[in-house]
Amino acid sequence: MQLNRVEGVSSYSSARFWSKDPATMIGSISIQLAPSPSSHDPSRLDAFNHVHHYANIEKVTARVNKVLKSAIGGLEELTIQVEPAV
């Protein structure tokens, strides 16, 4: 799947797709957000108070939705669960 190339996606799991009827599909997937490139500032690293800022959820889910709907013919409904990367 092309999701590893989607900006803001660190990884994905639990991808499931099934037929709703002969012409349409339904799906669900969990994605893990990548840290935002702008959140990396080595001069501000603190071993005890390290805070990550992640990619914009709305933009990333819109990209994932677009990629999957173009790759899977008839994909009508898609549920995307978003998690921060571990």
Side-chain angles (χ1 to χ4, degrees):
M1 220 180 284
Q2 300 173 351
L3 292 182
N4 290 337
R5 297 184 195 158
V6 173
E7 182 181 346
V9 175
S10 172
S11 62
Y12 65 92
S13 61
S14 304
R16 291 177 174 70
F17 302 94
W18 59 96
S19 296
K20 177 178 177 182
D21 57 49
T24 57
M25 302 282 292
I26 297 174
S28 68
I29 191 166
S30 294
I31 63 169
Q32 291 74 42
L33 293 178
S36 173
S38 63
S39 72
H40 181 68
D41 181 358
S43 67
R44 296 186 55 147
L45 289 180
D46 181 330
F48 300 104
N49 297 315
H50 188 69
V51 176
H52 287 286
H53 297 281
Y54 292 93
N56 181 287
I57 292 172
E58 291 82 15
K59 289 180 181 179
V60 175
T61 56
R63 289 182 201 123
V64 169
N65 194 38
K66 182 178 179 180
V67 166
L68 290 177
K69 285 188 174 179
S70 67
I72 301 171
L75 184 59
E76 184 178 275
E77 297 176 37
L78 179 62
T79 300
I80 303 171
Q81 178 178 335
V82 179
E83 306 167 340
V86 288

